[in-house]
Amino acid sequence: MRCSSLLIASSLSLTASAVNFPFSLDWLVSSAKDASISALPAEVVLPHRIAVVGAGAGGSSAAFWIEKAKSRAGVDVEVDVYDRRGYIGGRSTVVFPYNDTSLTPVELGASIFIEDNKNLWRATEDFKLERVNFEDEDDSIGFWDGEEFLFVMDVGSGPYGWWSTLKAIWRYGYQAPNRTKKVVKDIVSKFLSVYDNDGPRWTSLEQLTQALDFTKIVAETTAEYLDLQGVSRKWSREIVESFTRVNYGQNVDDIHMLEGACSLAASGASSVKGGNFQIFENFLNQSGANVYLNTTVQSIVETRSGGWSVDFVGDTHGSKEYNDVIIAAPFHQTGIKMNPSSWSFSKTKLEPIPAQPYVHLHVTLLATTATHPNPEYFGLKPGSSVPKVILTSNEGLRKGGKGPEFNSLTYHGPVGVGRENEFVVKIFSSEKVEDDWLDKMFDGQVGWVVRKEWDAYPVLPPTSEFPPMVIANGLYYVNSFEPFISTMETETVSSQNIVDLLFRERFGTDICGVNVRPVVSEESLEPEETLTEQVVLGNVEPETTIAHPKTTQKADGQKIDSFVRGWDC
């Protein structure tokens, strides 16, 4: 069972050969035969060129949205995507137990998306990817504070489905889960407006925060906000905190309420069979972009003509000029040197990108024949039942006791065919889990072990300020969204908004190809203007847009809104 609805992902470095691609990779261009690219002066850059730095959720979806927008508008745009890793997916990747590709792959990073994640959900449908649903799993969940189990949830139906049981009401009362559910439902409902055709568009996260009426919930911690809503401290510090810790490695008195709510929005929790990275491979395959893997962008510098020169090294090396650049990776982790230019003509001012601290996380994956953790570790008698999903609260430490040694411990089903008596276990912790500790926890029944140490999630304290989305004219930053909400889905939301803005500014059309410029007669244009427009647009015929039905029906006949901006126009 996965307890997270919006779990952020890993950045494990793998070679391309370590990943099973469901399609031909002939469109990748990181081969030796074109390993050097020469710069082309921006004055003769035709077609319009866009560079995307990063091939994870944000970068792959940016290329996908550009393809949608240019086809609908009938403009000629060429896209190059660079990634320093040897695989597509960024912080979403899988590993195979015992390095055996015949066994079931395990998500090392981004494990879950939900039905309200409309871009990812729609992608699985359009790309015909099989989803695995985790709501039907019935493993019990234990809430551990380092010294005792505070509560054991008997069924795996999320933080709300079990609250009406007598023992839950006895400990937490009737109102706390109801009030929390109402708060989360209201937040999710407001956010879903970004998928509407007339939903908000923004040039800064401050602007979006106001448009969604989220100013208060990003300015207060989850604990503060729920306290003010009359939610009991016991519920928020024990149950809600367990979900913020497994999703973001942060406690409720540290993380802002918007991200706290994301941790609890668990309806329709699913993943792609074989790995979520397949969504992002399909984004790039559909985009037609040139993809350069194992290629590190070193610098982005303004050119004399007002474009941007991108220098890169690796399997592909060289320099190339672009009209626009989209950075879709945590900027301070890229090592990119960026300045307007040493040219005296430059008057460009780059908006500074503030340093973004990240939660340093240890991920331990293992295979064990132990059917459940050792009860003696938890102070229980030998043979006692122990939950297969254990989440943790920091409440014991707050009260002067011992804190938990891990954030979460979850069983993830059998290893695979031929090893049905072994189970995959995933452990998140702030410190390395040593072999001796694993032997104690699983009675010495540990086989395969993989450890990954990485900066997993942005630190998400209350805030009223965010990184710039537009760094300079023609220079955009997808990951400005991360301190607001950090998920795979919201990276695709951010990239779509940026592509929409870019096309409005460069071509006068939105992502649906709709003309957003004021209507001007041909006679009022200067000859140079008409010629420029013809050069930019070329002779490409706009794509015929097919309207998608705005509602559909679930199996039970309930009507739901199925329109998703960017996919439907």
Side-chain angles (χ1 to χ4, degrees):
M1 171 181 178
R2 274 63 163 185
C3 303
S4 159
S5 62
L6 297 169
L7 185 62
I8 197 66
S10 156
S11 58
L12 177 68
S13 294
L14 296 175
T15 62
S17 61
V19 180
N20 289 334
F21 293 96
F23 47 80
S24 169
L25 294 182
D26 293 341
W27 50 279
L28 291 177
V29 293
S30 55
S31 59
K33 65 181 180 181
D34 53 3
S36 179
I37 300 177
S38 301
L40 181 65
E43 292 89 339
V44 293
V45 172
L46 290 174
H48 192 97
R49 281 200 176 118
I50 301 174
V52 178
V53 182
S60 63
S61 61
F64 179 75
W65 300 130
I66 291 169
E67 170 60 28
K68 290 277 190 183
K70 76 175 188 179
S71 297
R72 291 161 177 163
V75 297
D76 196 3
V77 179
E78 181 181 290
V79 180
D80 293 336
V81 178
Y82 298 93
D83 200 295
R84 63 185 180 183
R85 304 177 183 90
Y87 67 95
I88 293 166
R91 291 176 287 183
S92 177
T93 186
V94 299
V95 293
F96 290 89
Y98 299 101
N99 295 319
D100 184 346
T101 56
S102 70
L103 298 177
T104 305
V106 183
E107 293 282 0
L108 184 59
S111 300
I112 293 296
F113 53 93
I114 65 173
E115 192 168 359
D116 282 336
N117 294 163
K118 293 194 174 185
N119 287 334
L120 297 184
W121 202 267
R122 180 67 173 273
T124 62
E125 294 179 343
D126 281 22
F127 301 152
K128 295 179 172 53
L129 299 174
E130 182 180 348
R131 292 190 299 264
V132 179
N133 187 292
F134 299 107
E135 287 196 327
D136 297 333
E137 297 185 5
D138 57 1
D139 293 332
S140 61
I141 302 177
F143 298 88
W144 172 254
D145 72 351
E147 295 184 340
E148 64 175 335
F149 279 112
L150 302 169
F151 187 80
V152 175
M153 182 194 306
D154 292 327
V155 293
S157 54
Y160 307 118
W162 50 273
W163 64 266
S164 60
T165 63
L166 288 176
K167 67 175 183 178
I169 294 174
W170 180 264
R171 184 171 184 85
Y172 299 110
Y174 180 81
Q175 294 296 334
N178 265 333
R179 288 173 178 170
T180 305
K181 184 176 182 180
K182 183 178 183 302
V183 168
V184 172
K185 184 178 180 180
D186 181 60
I187 291 171
V188 170
S189 177
K190 290 178 179 179
F191 184 79
L192 290 179
S193 67
V194 303
Y195 300 105
D196 297 339
N197 195 44
D198 57 353
R201 291 176 167 90
W202 59 95
T203 58
S204 72
L205 269 298
E206 290 83 358
Q207 190 179 65
L208 178 62
T209 300
Q210 292 182 359
L212 296 177
D213 192 25
F214 282 175
T215 303
K216 184 177 177 61
I217 62 173
V218 296
E220 294 180 354
T221 67
T222 301
E224 290 170 337
Y225 190 88
L226 292 179
D227 287 349
L228 292 173
Q229 298 299 312
V231 173
S232 72
R233 290 176 60 90
K234 184 173 287 188
W235 168 264
S236 63
R237 271 65 169 184
E238 293 181 4
I239 303 300
V240 175
E241 181 163 270
S242 295
F243 285 90
T244 64
R245 285 170 63 85
V246 68
N247 281 288
Y248 294 106
Q250 295 163 71
N251 299 323
V252 291
D253 39 18
D254 298 319
I255 192 170
H256 63 64
M257 180 62 212
L258 177 57
E259 204 69 285
C262 290
S263 299
L264 297 167
S267 175
S270 302
S271 71
V272 174
K273 184 177 181 179
N276 293 327
F277 68 89
Q278 296 170 88
I279 296 175
F280 312 123
E281 288 183 348
N282 274 278
F283 275 152
L284 285 175
N285 189 35
Q286 295 284 325
S287 75
N290 302 313
V291 180
Y292 301 91
L293 300 180
N294 293 310
T295 302
T296 300
V297 172
Q298 291 187 308
S299 65
I300 302 172
V301 181
E302 186 187 20
T303 65
R304 181 181 291 275
S305 60
W308 299 95
S309 177
V310 175
D311 294 331
F312 41 88
V313 296
D315 285 0
T316 306
H317 58 274
S319 177
K320 193 171 181 178
E321 289 193 13
Y322 296 92
N323 304 90
D324 302 289
V325 177
I326 298 173
I327 300 174
F331 176 72
H332 293 284
Q333 295 180 19
T334 65
I336 294 174
K337 295 180 180 179
M338 192 164 61
N339 54 65
S341 178
S342 59
W343 294 94
S344 59
F345 67 82
S346 178
K347 297 181 181 180
T348 299
K349 177 185 176 183
L350 299 182
E351 291 294 327
I353 302 175
Q356 173 63 61
Y358 277 71
V359 174
H360 197 71
L361 189 74
H362 291 257
V363 179
T364 306
L365 294 177
L366 61 98
T368 178
T369 53
T371 56
H372 54 71
N374 184 358
E376 294 183 42
Y377 174 89
F378 301 97
L380 303 175
K381 295 179 180 179
S384 299
S385 176
V386 180
K388 291 184 178 180
V389 176
I390 301 173
L391 307 184
T392 61
S393 164
N394 204 43
E395 187 67 354
L397 191 61
R398 290 191 189 95
K399 294 178 178 178
K402 177 185 175 183
E405 294 181 310
F406 57 93
N407 294 352
S408 62
L409 184 158
T410 55
Y411 273 65
H412 288 257
V415 168
V417 177
R419 292 181 178 268
E420 289 84 356
N421 64 332
E422 285 187 85
F423 305 93
V424 172
V425 178
K426 180 184 293 186
I427 301 171
F428 291 165
S429 59
S430 58
E431 302 290 340
K432 180 182 177 181
V433 175
E434 301 289 350
D435 289 343
D436 289 346
W437 189 94
L438 293 176
D439 286 340
K440 180 180 178 181
M441 179 64 76
F442 301 102
D443 291 323
Q445 303 175 54
V446 177
W448 166 75
V449 177
V450 165
R451 292 180 173 90
K452 176 61 182 177
E453 183 179 347
W454 49 292
D455 291 334
Y457 332 107
V459 177
L460 297 160
T463 186
S464 60
E465 298 180 347
F466 299 92
M469 188 186 92
V470 181
I471 303 169
N473 184 38
L475 188 57
Y476 305 90
Y477 186 40
V478 171
N479 291 63
S480 62
F481 213 96
E482 277 203 289
F484 185 66
I485 304 176
S486 182
T487 69
M488 294 185 291
E489 173 70 13
T490 48
E491 290 300 283
T492 71
V493 169
S494 179
S495 68
Q496 183 192 113
N497 180 70
I498 282 173
V499 170
D500 183 81
L501 176 63
L502 187 157
F503 269 70
R504 286 168 177 265
E505 293 178 338
R506 295 301 195 192
F507 306 113
T509 61
D510 66 7
I511 199 166
C512 286
V514 176
N515 192 333
V516 295
R517 285 176 174 157
V519 177
V520 180
S521 64
E522 186 71 18
E523 291 77 12
S524 66
L525 294 175
E526 296 294 329
E528 293 83 1
E529 292 179 300
T530 305
L531 177 61
T532 300
E533 185 175 50
Q534 290 172 351
V535 170
V536 171
L537 295 180
N539 295 316
V540 183
E541 290 296 325
E543 176 191 80
T544 301
T545 301
I546 301 175
H548 192 275
K550 292 193 174 183
T551 61
T552 188
Q553 286 190 338
K554 292 184 177 180
D556 60 4
Q558 178 187 357
K559 288 186 177 181
I560 57 172
D561 185 6
S562 62
F563 181 93
V564 185
R565 185 168 72 196
W567 297 89
D568 308 313
C569 294

